[in-house]
Amino acid sequence: MTDPTYLNNQFLIAMPMLADPNFFQTVTYISEHNASGALGLVINRPLSLTLGQLLDHLQITTDQSELAALPIYHGGPVQPEQGFVLHSPVGHWEATLRITDHLGITTSRDILHAVAHGKGPQQLLVTLGYAGWGPGQLERELAENTWLSSPADPTILFHTRSDRRWLAAAALLGIDLNLLSADAGHA
């Protein structure tokens, strides 16, 4: 038996037939995937909440109007009250999962204080909640053709409009999801 292929630093792209409302037409950034399961952040589901509103709620003041206008994303159905900051560069924060030499996910407030004062990472995406899979669950879903996977692209993460990320992530693989039927079957 060969070792499983893990999808760290990959996009998980929902196939058109995936009807689960949590993941319909989503792109999930997989930050951690191993024998214990997987963790990812949905990167194309903006909430009706901005970073400025979140900072106000946390009683953190900012005069960074461009940053304050950034959308907060629904990162997934697990722990929707927990904030996650996907960012580049990685930097040195109290609670950071280093994914690559350039990307990290931080859950501590210190990064939000730095961002509010113009001293945070140059690129960031903030989510509430995350997507999680138990041992073997993601592998089964991949075998059932529920998802496509591709290497993550920072341009899509940080510079592509959220409503274009699903199609853009699939385009990395040369696939136009508009041409796939939601009624696809298995041969």
Side-chain angles (χ1 to χ4, degrees), residues 159-187:
H159 304 292
T160 302
R161 284 185 14 194
S162 59
D163 62 341
R164 294 185 179 161
R165 290 179 181 158
W166 184 60
L167 295 173
L172 293 172
L173 300 169
I175 296 171
D176 182 348
L177 291 173
N178 289 317
L179 300 178
L180 297 179
S181 169
D183 300 321
H186 295 276

Side-chain angles (χ1 to χ4, degrees), residues 15-182:
M15 289 293 285
M17 67 286 241
L18 178 58
D20 179 336
N22 289 306
F23 297 106
F24 179 70
Q25 293 188 352
T26 59
V27 178
T28 304
Y29 176 76
I30 300 296
S31 58
E32 192 168 32
H33 184 206
N34 54 43
S36 299
L39 179 140
L41 302 174
V42 176
I43 63 163
N44 65 329
R45 286 274 173 88
L47 297 167
S48 59
L49 178 68
T50 64
L51 181 56
Q53 292 167 319
L54 179 63
L55 292 173
D56 284 347
H57 177 74
L58 297 172
Q59 298 177 349
I60 300 172
T61 59
T62 185
D63 61 0
Q64 307 292 315
S65 59
E66 189 173 310
L67 283 171
L70 289 176
I72 303 296
Y73 292 86
H74 174 67
V78 184
Q79 292 185 345
E81 70 288 346
Q82 173 68 51
F84 297 84
V85 181
L86 176 60
H87 56 88
S88 181
V90 175
H92 301 285
W93 312 103
E94 291 173 20
T96 299
L97 170 65
R98 180 185 206 92
I99 302 159
T100 70
D101 289 342
H102 305 287
L103 282 172
I105 292 178
T106 298
T107 57
S108 51
R109 286 174 64 118
D110 60 334
I111 195 168
L112 293 176
H113 282 282
V115 165
H117 296 100
K119 297 180 171 128
Q122 287 92 14
Q123 301 176 103
L124 71 150
L125 187 146
V126 182
T127 75
L128 292 176
Y130 69 93
W133 291 264
Q137 181 183 2
L138 183 53
E139 291 84 346
R140 282 189 305 278
E141 291 179 9
L142 285 162
E144 295 166 356
N145 296 318
T146 304
W147 305 100
L148 295 170
S149 66
S150 76
D153 181 336
T155 300
I156 293 174
L157 279 173
F158 301 116
H159 304 292
T160 302
R161 284 185 14 194
S162 59
D163 62 341
R164 294 185 179 161
R165 290 179 181 158
W166 184 60
L167 295 173
L172 293 172
L173 300 169
I175 296 171
D176 182 348
L177 291 173
N178 289 317
L179 300 178
L180 297 179
S181 169

